[in-house]
Every structure is written in structure tokens, then in C-alpha cells.
Amino acid sequence: MLGTPAQRQALDDHRRRLVAAARKNGKAVAMLTDTVEGVRQMIGLGATIINYSSDAAVLRSGYASVVDEIRRTLSARS
């Protein structure tokens, strides 16, 4: 199932079961995602705690955007 078109649906089904079991037992549900769309999806599935990305990914993204801006500035000077 991993890597097939059915993967997303299977994972969502398991997430829904997890949320239902957690609510039944008075527990919070934490999920990890690395996109804004993923955050929306996790909220829709019922997650109560959402961990967005990781420290390393956020730092990498920030540095990458700065490097891109520097490159654009240098290209414009040429």
C-alpha cells in the first residue's frame, strides 16, 4: 500500500480511528505535518495538537529563501 494511490486514504482511515479512540478515552491527539495543507487536513481529521514541520526544516526553508534573494540580487547586478 505504501507508495500507491490508496496510501493517503488508508492513512486517513487510521488517523480517524486514532482520533475516535483518543476522544473515547479523553486523550488529546497529536499529529505531525510539514505543509499548510497538512495542517488543514489534520484539523479536519480531529487532531487537537499539531506539530508543524521540524526545527531543521524551518531553518533550512528560511535560509533557502534568503539565499534565493541574494542570488536574485546578484543576478540583477550582472
Side-chain angles (χ1 to χ4, degrees):
M1 169 118 6
L2 184 63
T4 69
Q7 176 180 325
R8 182 177 176 142
Q9 184 61 44
L11 288 173
D12 286 349
D13 291 344
H14 286 285
R15 289 178 181 123
R16 283 187 195 90
R17 288 179 33 216
L18 174 72
V19 168
R23 285 193 174 150
K24 180 180 175 184
N25 291 287
K27 304 294 181 184
V29 177
M31 294 193 188
L32 170 68
T33 187
D34 61 355
T35 65
V36 173
E37 179 55 36
V39 171
R40 289 185 187 110
Q41 179 188 11
M42 296 308 140
I43 290 170
L45 291 171
T48 51
I49 302 168
I50 300 171
N51 182 10
Y52 176 75
S53 198
S54 67
D55 297 356
V58 169
L59 287 170
R60 184 195 169 287
S61 176
Y63 284 124
S65 67
V66 170
V67 169
D68 288 344
E69 182 63 29
I70 291 168
R71 286 180 178 153
R72 281 192 296 274
T73 300
L74 291 174
S75 292
R77 292 177 53 187
S78 300

